[in-house]
Amino acid sequence: MDLACPQGVERIDSITAGYQAYQVLRAALELGLFDWLAENGPGCREEITTALKLNGMFTRSFLQALVDLGFLTCKGEKYRLTELARDFLVRRSPCYQGDLFLSTARPDSWWNNFKDTLTVIKPPEQDFDAVPTPDFIKALAQRSLRGELQAVTRSIVAWEGFRGARTLLDLGGGHGFYAIALCQVNPNLRAVVFDKPHIIACTREFIRQYGLEDRVIVQGGDACSEEWGGGYDIVLISHLLYKYRKELAAFIGKAFTALKPGGLLACNHWFCAPGCGSEGDGLRELDRSIHSFGHPLCHMEEFNNLLATTGFSLWQLLDVPSAYGMAKLHLAVKKGLASTKAMMPGSCSACC
């Protein structure tokens, strides 16, 4: 009777409410509510209940929750999309983020079973064609549209050799958005997106949506063991090298071989802070760690040295804002024959 509840329990309640809000938005996306309203216009509660086959007992509070969250408005008993929902939650929107939002709760998500993620000693052995799934590729595509794709492609376009470039290799390109964007800017550019064989159907669908089937092709294979071809003006590697830390020298050497003399290598990756410390946002650091196969790349100065000893001249080193903090974009030009002295950058204990 005399027990006093300490202050601060509201913090726990807010986390619980965040989970509930996630489930409300997840249900709205999976039921197709936003797409239905975009296609049919404002709808009353009864129309929405019938169209989505909802239990009418819950519809009013479900829709009110979406109003409170800022995704719907209600006027004259008609529910309408807000600008926020139109921009990011309607599937036909160019900035659609629904698959990225839903990816957190996918059965195979590292976040969905986070205790297991924290306690696993090393990632489980998986078949070559087990991951990533098409849903994962779609989520990556939507994440890139938040500004990272635009920043990387603008930087490549600013290279003095871009207008004369005719061939591009997008290595581990997955969704192919980098190749698509660069081909949109340069009408004479043709691109190859190289990724795992089971991904290429998803990549081709993105290419088809942008009408570039005649200029962007997809090649399936194992990037580590198979050849990529040669004679490229540009080789792009974005967020791929984390899982190949022990093969960095081989990857950079193969990129050198694949390029024409004077060609451009563009590498876009996260690097850990000095001493492998945190940048201050624990949740974002966790998410970035998960998406970089356990840890960002270490020792950027040694990566720079690897580029130089392989035969590249670093043209620019740029900060690129991404959904998980600042990435580093290395833009390096092939200047001569590959060096046999290229050494693999060192690794910290967190990377091993």
Side-chain angles (χ1 to χ4, degrees):
M1 182 177 66
D2 297 327
L3 177 66
C5 183
Q7 293 184 350
V9 71
E10 297 83 4
R11 183 70 62 86
I12 297 173
D13 291 341
S14 69
I15 295 173
T16 303
Y19 177 79
Q20 293 166 337
Y22 181 92
Q23 293 299 336
V24 167
L25 183 52
R26 175 185 178 184
L29 282 165
E30 292 179 339
L31 288 165
L33 171 61
F34 304 114
D35 293 329
W36 187 88
L37 287 172
E39 182 176 346
N40 296 281
C44 66
R45 178 167 57 90
E46 292 76 12
E47 291 172 325
I48 294 171
T49 299
T50 301
L52 302 187
K53 299 180 174 59
L54 303 179
N55 183 333
M57 292 176 58
F58 304 122
T59 307
R60 185 184 299 278
S61 54
F62 171 59
L63 295 174
Q64 183 59 46
L66 290 166
V67 170
D68 295 342
L69 291 169
F71 302 120
L72 298 181
T73 61
C74 184
K75 185 177 181 180
E77 298 189 1
K78 291 278 191 176
Y79 291 90
R80 296 168 170 81
L81 296 172
T82 63
E83 184 177 359
L84 178 67
R86 286 193 298 271
D87 287 343
F88 300 117
L89 301 178
V90 175
R91 189 170 293 275
R92 68 188 184 200
S93 168
C95 292
Y96 178 66
Q97 296 287 296
D99 293 303
L100 177 59
F101 176 84
L102 293 172
S103 66
T104 304
R106 301 287 186 203
D108 58 348
S109 167
W110 290 96
W111 282 107
N112 197 42
N113 298 287
F114 190 58
K115 177 184 69 68
D116 295 338
T117 300
L118 286 174
T119 56
V120 69
I121 301 302
K122 63 179 181 178
E125 294 293 331
Q126 294 174 313
D127 294 335
F128 176 70
D129 60 353
V131 290
T133 63
D135 286 335
F136 182 81
I137 296 298
K138 292 176 184 177
L140 289 182
Q142 291 160 24
R143 184 187 74 188
S144 73
L145 290 173
R146 296 187 175 193
E148 185 174 17
L149 168 73
Q150 296 88 333
V152 170
T153 52
R154 279 197 299 265
S155 299
I156 294 174
V157 168
W159 172 53
E160 62 181 3
F162 178 73
R163 289 296 174 183
R166 296 294 180 267
T167 53
L168 163 73
L169 172 64
D170 185 358
L171 187 62
H175 43 70
F177 273 14
Y178 288 98
I180 290 168
L182 291 168
C183 283
Q184 286 177 326
V185 177
N186 183 344
N188 297 313
L189 187 65
R190 294 180 177 272
V192 175
V193 180
F194 189 107
D195 215 315
K196 292 184 176 183
H198 73 284
I199 293 173
I200 61 178
C202 182
T203 311
R204 286 186 178 128
E205 177 59 23
F206 281 117
I207 295 168
R208 185 195 64 77
Q209 290 175 15
Y210 286 88
L212 286 167
E213 304 99 311
D214 60 332
R215 292 172 51 210
V216 183
I217 64 172
V218 187
Q219 181 178 343
D222 185 342
C224 189
S225 62
E226 297 182 25
E227 294 304 315
W228 312 332
Y232 293 103
D233 294 300
I234 303 169
V235 171
L236 171 63
I237 309 174
S238 184
H239 297 304
L240 176 69
L241 295 178
Y242 312 112
K243 59 183 176 180
Y244 297 115
R245 291 182 178 90
K246 296 182 179 179
E247 294 86 17
L248 282 181
F251 260 80
I252 299 302
K254 287 175 70 174
F256 186 92
T257 301
L259 279 166
K260 294 177 181 177
L264 180 73
L265 172 66
C267 283
N268 177 47
H269 294 82
W270 300 304
F271 284 81
C272 60
C276 297
S278 171
E279 293 182 351
D281 186 333
L283 281 176
R284 190 174 68 175
E285 286 287 319
L286 273 173
D287 212 6
R288 187 174 72 169
S289 180
I290 288 170
H291 284 88
S292 58
F293 293 85
H295 198 278
L297 295 179
C298 289
H299 309 299
M300 188 170 64
E301 67 282 359
E302 295 187 24
F303 186 80
N304 297 346
N305 181 62
L306 173 61
L307 293 175
T309 55
T310 303
F312 286 103
S313 174
L314 186 62
W315 173 57
Q316 281 190 324
L317 176 60
L318 303 172
D319 289 333
V320 174
S322 76
Y324 302 116
M326 205 65 70
K328 294 290 184 180
L329 176 62
H330 289 78
L331 296 171
V333 176
K334 177 176 178 176
K335 61 182 181 179
L337 296 177
S339 169
T340 59
K341 299 180 181 180
M343 301 297 291
M344 181 183 73
S347 61
C348 67
S349 59
C351 299
C352 299

